Amino acid sequence: MSDQLHHVVIVGGGFAGIAAAQALRKAPVRITMIDRRNFHLFQPLLYQVATGGLSPANIAAPLRGILRKQKNCTVLLGEVQEIDLSTKQVIMDGAPLAYDSLIVAAGAVNNYFGNNQWESVAPGLKSVEDATRLRAKILHSFEAAERLDNLSERQKLLTFVVVGGGPTGVELAGSIAELAHHTMRNDFRNIDPTTATVYLVEAGPRVLSMFPEKLSGKAAKALHRIGVQVMTSAKVLDIQTDHVKLEHNQQHLVIPCNTVAWGAGVIGSPLGKILTTATGGSLARGGRVPVNPDLTLPNHSEVFVIGDLAAVNWKDTVVPGVAPAAIQMGKYAGWKIATRLAGKQDDRHFSYWDKGSMATIGRNAAVADAGFIYMSGRLAWLAWLFIHILYLIQFSNRVLVMWQWFWNYFTRNRSARLITGEIGNLPPKTTTG
């Protein structure tokens, strides 16, 4: 590949980065995609990995495999620490890499709102490691409880707290409840898994606040039906290894528990701060980078910021950090670069097509807001299944996930219930049965 070709560097192999690369497949450019991982991950289904419904390989695909037929694209495994806008270079693992156009699609990380010490005891769901770590912690709690006679210690082990009432929190809480109340109900001899308690803690007045109030209410009722205790207007004060402190209805509460999961929000990649500092600007809400209507960085038309990292004005708010938006931004950025290189003048701004929002609560229960129609229950659940299958990036993943869901539905079995990694010691066996 000629070094004289226009060099496009893409940072991040998520939905946005891949869409941008594919949009440039026929353009006279050479592309370098950089990612810290060698795979693309479908993050919306990480909660199913965390609860044993799917294996990591079901929702991930090697970047080289995805782009193997695109000869103008090179994939590099590495991490970008710095971006020098003045010399048009990214610093990857200490080495400079020059670019002509730069697309930053670095995504987002878990946001603990200044309480980063909670990360060690309340993992979020942004990576495979997050999901497998949480899976190990959830399953380990049941195994530890099986060895104890002390009822209060047992109940603490069988109490799970999910922080955040957005789609991630709702889906995770519902999945943990189904795991305990259905999948594992006959798996133990000394404990009854159906006695497990799952709390969903939300600081706002209702769960799924981005949905219409009617759908939000239906989601809360569906959670209640499967055994999740929803606590709204509840502020987390502290998280420790054995309890969570809350302020709820002007009272301080302590919930003894062994497992806490974080789904309360995300913040843009640290690369966002590097970009805004270099341009004399400041980050928008959620650590996102304010960009021009054509997704370029102010005063740097060669730099595009897309996906969860970009703050793009849309109606009275900003474009949400969801997969459809990331894909649309990636396609637009690729098209914009190709148009420029072709010498065509096109001042068309990025326009977001809102395809709606969905969240699943559990078996046959979901809510969907398609803008012109609201759905809930089994119909919304089937729509959720169909859409998520479509967004899996490889055909093989679609087949595997579809089969796994089919099997799980009819057997209520979750075959990926594996405890891996460091999990600590089990308590001494004190049961007499």
Side-chain angles (χ1 to χ4, degrees):
M1 190 181 298
S2 174
D3 290 341
Q4 302 304 313
L5 288 174
H6 187 93
H7 188 204
V8 180
V9 172
I10 301 174
V11 181
F15 282 111
I18 289 175
Q22 292 176 335
L24 288 164
R25 64 188 179 279
K26 295 182 180 180
V29 299
R30 59 187 180 97
I31 304 166
T32 301
M33 175 179 285
I34 304 169
D35 199 286
R36 292 179 298 174
R37 303 298 169 89
N38 74 331
F39 57 86
H40 165 80
L41 178 66
F42 188 50
Q43 290 182 349
L45 290 180
L46 276 173
Y47 81 94
Q48 294 211 3
V49 174
T51 52
L54 296 172
S55 294
N58 295 150
I59 62 169
L63 287 171
R64 295 186 186 278
I66 296 168
L67 298 167
R68 67 184 181 278
K69 294 182 179 180
Q70 189 167 331
K71 300 304 182 183
N72 67 345
C73 184
T74 299
V75 177
L76 295 180
L77 181 66
E79 183 171 2
V80 173
Q81 294 94 5
E82 294 288 340
I83 298 174
D84 191 332
L85 298 178
S86 61
T87 62
K88 297 173 67 173
Q89 292 181 329
V90 299
I91 310 302
M92 181 186 69
D93 299 328
L97 179 67
Y99 62 82
D100 296 305
S101 291
L102 174 65
I103 300 175
V104 184
V109 296
N110 294 310
N111 185 8
Y112 289 87
F113 303 98
N115 298 286
N116 293 335
Q117 71 276 11
W118 294 349
E119 185 173 8
S120 62
V121 290
L125 277 177
K126 295 300 291 180
S127 69
V128 168
E129 288 78 10
D130 285 342
T132 54
R133 175 184 164 204
L134 182 55
R135 180 182 67 189
K137 197 167 187 181
I138 292 169
L139 297 175
H140 183 264
S141 294
F142 288 96
E143 297 293 342
E146 175 79 349
R147 298 168 65 96
L148 296 177
D149 269 338
N150 186 296
L151 293 180
S152 64
E153 287 299 312
R154 266 190 186 178
Q155 196 52 52
K156 183 171 72 174
L157 286 164
L158 297 180
T159 299
F160 305 89
V161 178
V162 179
V163 181
T168 297
V170 166
E171 291 170 349
L172 180 59
S175 197
I176 294 174
E178 289 193 329
L179 174 70
H181 299 161
H182 296 287
T183 302
M184 298 199 300
R185 64 183 304 163
N186 298 316
D187 287 6
F188 294 85
R189 301 297 173 259
N190 298 313
I191 62 169
D192 179 2
T194 66
T195 62
T197 303
V198 182
Y199 291 95
L200 178 61
V201 178
E202 165 57 34
R206 58 190 178 94
V207 298
L208 298 179
S209 59
M210 69 292 296
F211 285 76
E213 191 168 351
K214 184 177 180 180
L215 288 181
S216 176
K218 288 186 175 183
K221 290 179 181 178
L223 286 165
H224 179 73
R225 282 196 299 272
I226 62 175
V228 177
Q229 298 191 30
V230 178
M231 300 179 68
T232 54
S233 301
K235 180 182 179 182
V236 175
L237 301 177
D238 190 27
I239 303 175
Q240 296 295 328
T241 56
D242 60 352
H243 69 268
V244 174
K245 288 184 180 179
L246 305 173
E247 182 180 328
H248 185 235
N249 293 333
Q250 299 182 330
Q251 293 183 334
H252 285 189
L253 302 177
V254 176
I255 300 177
C257 61
N258 187 60
T259 304
V260 183
W262 188 264
V266 295
I267 190 169
S269 161
L271 290 180
K273 188 171 183 179
I274 293 173
L275 291 173
T276 53
T277 300
T279 57
S282 58
L283 293 170
R285 184 177 179 181
R288 301 171 82 175
V289 178
V291 295
N292 295 323
D294 63 354
L295 306 184
T296 58
L297 196 65
N299 301 317
H300 288 273
S301 60
E302 77 282 3
V303 179
F304 293 80
V305 183
I306 60 177
D308 293 354
L309 188 57
V312 188
N313 291 329
W314 175 66
K315 295 183 178 179
D316 297 326
T317 180
V318 296
V319 175
V322 293
I327 293 170
Q328 291 175 42
M329 289 186 202
K331 290 179 177 179
Y332 174 88
W335 167 83
K336 192 73 176 179
I337 292 171
T339 300
R340 288 177 181 174
L341 293 177
K344 299 177 182 177
Q345 193 70 23
D346 197 322
D347 297 325
R348 196 182 317 164
H349 293 163
F350 172 73
S351 178
Y352 174 53
W353 175 24
D354 183 11
K355 297 183 179 180
S357 303
M358 293 179 148
T360 183
I361 294 94
R363 181 186 177 95
N364 293 328
V367 291
D369 173 13
F372 59 92
I373 187 173
Y374 300 154
M375 292 185 290
S376 62
R378 178 174 292 181
L379 183 61
W381 181 72
L382 290 171
W384 181 92
L385 293 177
F386 177 73
I387 294 298
H388 280 68
I389 287 289
L390 283 183
Y391 275 105
L392 286 166
I393 205 158
Q394 284 192 327
F395 178 76
S396 58
N397 292 81
R398 294 172 190 168
V399 173
L400 287 170
V401 170
M402 192 160 31
W403 166 249
Q404 196 67 58
W405 282 346
F406 174 83
W407 182 255
N408 291 351
Y409 182 82
F410 286 102
T411 66
R412 287 191 179 273
N413 183 40
R414 295 166 184 254
S415 59
R417 288 179 280 133
L418 310 177
I419 298 176
T420 57
E422 296 294 330
I423 59 173
N425 296 321
L426 288 167
K429 184 176 180 181
T430 63
T431 55
T432 57

